mmCIF file of all heavy atoms in Angstrom:
data_model
loop_
_atom_site.group_PDB
_atom_site.id
_atom_site.type_symbol
_atom_site.label_atom_id
_atom_site.label_comp_id
_atom_site.label_asym_id
_atom_site.label_seq_id
_atom_site.Cartn_x
_atom_site.Cartn_y
_atom_site.Cartn_z
ATOM 1 N N ILE A 1445 16.483 -6.693 -58.455
ATOM 2 C CA ILE A 1445 16.276 -7.230 -57.113
ATOM 3 C C ILE A 1445 17.240 -8.300 -56.863
ATOM 4 O O ILE A 1445 17.391 -9.307 -57.637
ATOM 5 C CB ILE A 1445 14.760 -7.661 -56.872
ATOM 6 C CG1 ILE A 1445 14.734 -8.147 -55.464
ATOM 7 C CG2 ILE A 1445 14.392 -8.690 -57.927
ATOM 8 C CD1 ILE A 1445 13.242 -8.279 -55.033
ATOM 9 N N VAL A 1446 18.020 -8.197 -55.765
ATOM 10 C CA VAL A 1446 19.124 -9.056 -55.336
ATOM 11 C C VAL A 1446 18.989 -9.587 -53.980
ATOM 12 O O VAL A 1446 19.196 -8.784 -53.030
ATOM 13 C CB VAL A 1446 20.480 -8.403 -55.685
ATOM 14 C CG1 VAL A 1446 21.594 -9.457 -55.502
ATOM 15 C CG2 VAL A 1446 20.566 -7.709 -57.014
ATOM 16 N N PRO A 1447 18.685 -10.737 -53.828
ATOM 17 C CA PRO A 1447 18.638 -11.302 -52.382
ATOM 18 C C PRO A 1447 20.042 -11.321 -51.680
ATOM 19 O O PRO A 1447 20.979 -11.524 -52.449
ATOM 20 C CB PRO A 1447 18.097 -12.747 -52.563
ATOM 21 C CG PRO A 1447 17.485 -12.756 -53.936
ATOM 22 C CD PRO A 1447 18.168 -11.840 -54.725
ATOM 23 N N ALA A 1448 20.021 -11.058 -50.478
ATOM 24 C CA ALA A 1448 21.284 -10.966 -49.702
ATOM 25 C C ALA A 1448 21.824 -12.478 -49.524
ATOM 26 O O ALA A 1448 21.127 -13.396 -49.584
ATOM 27 C CB ALA A 1448 21.059 -10.345 -48.397
ATOM 28 N N PRO A 1449 23.165 -12.594 -49.414
ATOM 29 C CA PRO A 1449 23.756 -13.828 -49.279
ATOM 30 C C PRO A 1449 23.209 -14.655 -48.088
ATOM 31 O O PRO A 1449 23.032 -15.840 -48.164
ATOM 32 C CB PRO A 1449 25.257 -13.500 -48.891
ATOM 33 C CG PRO A 1449 25.504 -12.275 -49.667
ATOM 34 C CD PRO A 1449 24.153 -11.472 -49.520
ATOM 35 N N ASN A 1450 22.682 -14.013 -46.945
ATOM 36 C CA ASN A 1450 22.119 -14.738 -45.885
ATOM 37 C C ASN A 1450 20.602 -15.077 -46.157
ATOM 38 O O ASN A 1450 20.039 -15.706 -45.260
ATOM 39 C CB ASN A 1450 22.297 -14.045 -44.478
ATOM 40 C CG ASN A 1450 21.596 -12.729 -44.403
ATOM 41 O OD1 ASN A 1450 20.861 -12.380 -45.223
ATOM 42 N ND2 ASN A 1450 21.839 -12.003 -43.235
ATOM 43 N N ASN A 1451 20.057 -14.514 -47.169
ATOM 44 C CA ASN A 1451 18.677 -14.830 -47.579
ATOM 45 C C ASN A 1451 17.658 -14.266 -46.608
ATOM 46 O O ASN A 1451 16.540 -14.737 -46.725
ATOM 47 C CB ASN A 1451 18.472 -16.330 -47.845
ATOM 48 C CG ASN A 1451 17.437 -16.582 -48.956
ATOM 49 O OD1 ASN A 1451 17.620 -16.062 -50.002
ATOM 50 N ND2 ASN A 1451 16.477 -17.424 -48.623
ATOM 51 N N ARG A 1452 18.023 -13.330 -45.780
ATOM 52 C CA ARG A 1452 17.088 -12.699 -44.858
ATOM 53 C C ARG A 1452 16.428 -11.487 -45.515
ATOM 54 O O ARG A 1452 15.329 -11.125 -45.170
ATOM 55 C CB ARG A 1452 17.735 -12.284 -43.659
ATOM 56 C CG ARG A 1452 18.257 -13.395 -42.792
ATOM 57 C CD ARG A 1452 18.910 -12.972 -41.454
ATOM 58 N NE ARG A 1452 17.845 -12.407 -40.675
ATOM 59 C CZ ARG A 1452 18.105 -11.868 -39.408
ATOM 60 N NH1 ARG A 1452 19.302 -12.046 -38.850
ATOM 61 N NH2 ARG A 1452 17.227 -11.291 -38.709
ATOM 62 N N TYR A 1453 17.064 -10.911 -46.531
ATOM 63 C CA TYR A 1453 16.601 -9.665 -47.104
ATOM 64 C C TYR A 1453 16.829 -9.749 -48.629
ATOM 65 O O TYR A 1453 17.798 -10.450 -49.030
ATOM 66 C CB TYR A 1453 17.226 -8.391 -46.449
ATOM 67 C CG TYR A 1453 17.078 -8.249 -45.012
ATOM 68 C CD1 TYR A 1453 18.070 -8.746 -44.121
ATOM 69 C CD2 TYR A 1453 15.923 -7.783 -44.366
ATOM 70 C CE1 TYR A 1453 17.881 -8.668 -42.779
ATOM 71 C CE2 TYR A 1453 15.707 -7.691 -43.133
ATOM 72 C CZ TYR A 1453 16.693 -8.127 -42.264
ATOM 73 O OH TYR A 1453 16.598 -8.087 -40.832
ATOM 74 N N ALA A 1454 16.093 -8.969 -49.352
ATOM 75 C CA ALA A 1454 16.451 -8.630 -50.735
ATOM 76 C C ALA A 1454 16.404 -7.129 -51.017
ATOM 77 O O ALA A 1454 15.521 -6.423 -50.466
ATOM 78 C CB ALA A 1454 15.333 -9.360 -51.607
ATOM 79 N N ILE A 1455 17.370 -6.692 -51.831
ATOM 80 C CA ILE A 1455 17.378 -5.243 -52.096
ATOM 81 C C ILE A 1455 17.065 -5.088 -53.516
ATOM 82 O O ILE A 1455 17.595 -5.738 -54.493
ATOM 83 C CB ILE A 1455 18.804 -4.688 -51.826
ATOM 84 C CG1 ILE A 1455 19.178 -4.930 -50.353
ATOM 85 C CG2 ILE A 1455 18.889 -3.199 -52.117
ATOM 86 C CD1 ILE A 1455 20.616 -4.527 -49.983
ATOM 87 N N SER A 1456 16.109 -4.074 -53.757
ATOM 88 C CA SER A 1456 15.775 -3.725 -55.192
ATOM 89 C C SER A 1456 16.123 -2.284 -55.384
ATOM 90 O O SER A 1456 15.891 -1.435 -54.617
ATOM 91 C CB SER A 1456 14.185 -3.860 -55.307
ATOM 92 O OG SER A 1456 13.807 -3.608 -56.587
ATOM 93 N N ALA A 1457 16.820 -2.143 -56.521
ATOM 94 C CA ALA A 1457 17.192 -0.707 -56.957
ATOM 95 C C ALA A 1457 16.061 -0.111 -57.768
ATOM 96 O O ALA A 1457 15.685 -0.607 -58.895
ATOM 97 C CB ALA A 1457 18.556 -0.774 -57.751
ATOM 98 N N ASP A 1458 15.545 1.054 -57.329
ATOM 99 C CA ASP A 1458 14.514 1.668 -58.069
ATOM 100 C C ASP A 1458 14.948 2.999 -58.624
ATOM 101 O O ASP A 1458 15.312 3.900 -57.835
ATOM 102 C CB ASP A 1458 13.257 1.950 -57.141
ATOM 103 C CG ASP A 1458 12.055 2.181 -58.029
ATOM 104 O OD1 ASP A 1458 12.013 3.315 -58.609
ATOM 105 O OD2 ASP A 1458 11.020 1.551 -57.969
ATOM 106 N N LEU A 1459 15.120 2.979 -59.936
ATOM 107 C CA LEU A 1459 15.694 4.175 -60.547
ATOM 108 C C LEU A 1459 14.739 5.461 -60.480
ATOM 109 O O LEU A 1459 15.260 6.481 -60.342
ATOM 110 C CB LEU A 1459 15.863 3.901 -62.129
ATOM 111 C CG LEU A 1459 16.431 4.920 -63.014
ATOM 112 C CD1 LEU A 1459 17.333 4.281 -64.040
ATOM 113 C CD2 LEU A 1459 15.316 5.706 -63.674
ATOM 114 N N GLY A 1460 13.422 5.153 -60.535
ATOM 115 C CA GLY A 1460 12.426 6.274 -60.409
ATOM 116 C C GLY A 1460 12.416 6.983 -59.017
ATOM 117 O O GLY A 1460 12.156 8.184 -58.934
ATOM 118 N N LEU A 1461 12.607 6.205 -57.951
ATOM 119 C CA LEU A 1461 12.466 6.621 -56.612
ATOM 120 C C LEU A 1461 13.807 7.120 -55.998
ATOM 121 O O LEU A 1461 13.823 7.605 -54.902
ATOM 122 C CB LEU A 1461 11.838 5.553 -55.749
ATOM 123 C CG LEU A 1461 10.577 5.009 -56.075
ATOM 124 C CD1 LEU A 1461 10.069 3.864 -55.153
ATOM 125 C CD2 LEU A 1461 9.453 6.116 -56.196
ATOM 126 N N ASP A 1462 14.914 6.829 -56.694
ATOM 127 C CA ASP A 1462 16.351 7.112 -56.140
ATOM 128 C C ASP A 1462 16.476 6.400 -54.870
ATOM 129 O O ASP A 1462 17.126 7.017 -53.856
ATOM 130 C CB ASP A 1462 16.403 8.708 -55.988
ATOM 131 C CG ASP A 1462 16.855 9.406 -57.185
ATOM 132 O OD1 ASP A 1462 17.470 8.817 -58.083
ATOM 133 O OD2 ASP A 1462 16.577 10.558 -57.294
ATOM 134 N N ARG A 1463 16.075 5.157 -54.756
ATOM 135 C CA ARG A 1463 16.146 4.406 -53.501
ATOM 136 C C ARG A 1463 16.489 2.952 -53.770
ATOM 137 O O ARG A 1463 16.243 2.355 -54.771
ATOM 138 C CB ARG A 1463 14.844 4.414 -52.724
ATOM 139 C CG ARG A 1463 14.453 5.803 -52.167
ATOM 140 C CD ARG A 1463 13.222 5.926 -51.380
ATOM 141 N NE ARG A 1463 13.037 7.221 -50.930
ATOM 142 C CZ ARG A 1463 13.601 7.694 -49.768
ATOM 143 N NH1 ARG A 1463 14.437 6.933 -49.029
ATOM 144 N NH2 ARG A 1463 13.410 8.972 -49.396
ATOM 145 N N LEU A 1464 17.184 2.376 -52.803
ATOM 146 C CA LEU A 1464 17.282 0.987 -52.650
ATOM 147 C C LEU A 1464 16.345 0.523 -51.680
ATOM 148 O O LEU A 1464 16.247 0.862 -50.518
ATOM 149 C CB LEU A 1464 18.739 0.595 -52.194
ATOM 150 C CG LEU A 1464 19.942 1.080 -53.075
ATOM 151 C CD1 LEU A 1464 21.325 0.494 -52.469
ATOM 152 C CD2 LEU A 1464 19.782 0.619 -54.532
#
Side-chain angles (χ1 to χ4, degrees):
I1445 179 164
V1446 190
N1450 67 4
N1451 214 50
R1452 295 183 61 180
Y1453 304 96
I1455 302 176
S1456 179
D1458 195 297
L1459 180 145
L1461 301 180
D1462 279 332
R1463 291 184 179 275
L1464 300 184

